[in-house]
Amino acid sequence: MDSATSDTRTPLGPQADNGLKIVVVGGFGVGKTTLVRSVSEIRPLSTEETMTQAGATVDDVSGVREKSATTVAFDFGRITLDARNVLYLFGAPGQERFWFLWDRLFTGTLGAVVLLDTRRIDDSWYAIDRLERHGMPFIVACNDFGGPRHTPSEVRAALDLDPHIPLMDCDARSRESGKHVLITLVEHVRRLSAAPAPTAEQELV
């Protein structure tokens, strides 16, 4: 499995002057930190802290008993697209007590990836609701935790997901899979930006 973070730091060229921002959101323990780590060309900035018994009384850990650390602010990674364009990745914390940080992370964002654990679909409702309220383009990626398989139509129905929003499977540990997720999001944003604006009559329908 191709994952893990390289210790080699890739220097950013002086001509890189266009930064694009993507946020990875989702429930607690769905693999957001892992996804950022797997695709970043630099050692990501991570704000993971060891989980303690005190946190167990605040966070719902029923679905992530094996989790030993958690993000308490955000994760940050980087991908150089070409000489002038750089993609910045921000992984948002999943616990409810840190949701107040999301609005700041959403500022200036090109789009978002909603990472989903299909064993705990309800945990992604808040992320989707917040993105829709912000009018932000997003896709949904089902991270592979080895649980029961669900058809795309079942997942769409459970999330009440609009048909035009891309839904895909992924493995957050895999660099290639993570890159495919980001490419899917960028292509989705491009399609939305190229679509003609609705007329006043269409908006009233």
Side-chain angles (χ1 to χ4, degrees), residues 30-159:
V30 296
K32 300 179 295 295
T33 298
T34 301
L35 179 63
V36 173
R37 283 178 177 169
S38 68
V39 298
S40 178
E41 68 187 16
I42 62 171
R43 179 181 295 176
L45 168 65
S46 179
T47 57
E48 280 202 318
E49 296 292 341
T50 301
M51 296 176 63
T52 66
Q53 284 298 113
T57 64
V58 180
D59 302 320
D60 180 8
V61 297
S62 57
V64 287
R65 295 293 185 186
E66 71 284 359
K67 191 172 175 62
S68 60
T70 185
T71 300
V72 296
F74 60 84
D75 303 301
F76 172 77
R78 189 190 79 201
I79 301 174
T80 300
L81 302 178
D82 54 39
R84 302 196 64 175
N85 295 287
V86 180
L87 184 65
Y88 297 111
L89 303 173
F90 290 81
Q95 304 99 305
E96 183 176 354
R97 58 193 166 113
F98 296 125
W99 285 351
F100 71 92
L101 296 170
W102 286 25
D103 288 336
R104 292 291 184 92
L105 289 177
F106 287 171
T107 302
T109 298
L110 177 70
V113 174
V114 177
L115 205 56
L116 176 71
D117 179 351
T118 55
R119 302 170 303 176
R120 299 179 287 125
I121 289 180
D122 289 350
D123 290 357
S124 295
W125 268 107
Y126 179 77
I128 291 175
D129 180 67
R130 287 291 287 273
L131 292 170
E132 289 178 340
R133 288 176 181 271
H134 278 263
M136 185 183 301
F138 68 91
I139 68 169
V140 177
C142 301
N143 195 12
D144 182 12
F145 283 91
R149 303 293 295 181
H150 298 279
T151 66
S153 60
E154 289 173 338
V155 176
R156 284 189 180 277
L159 294 174

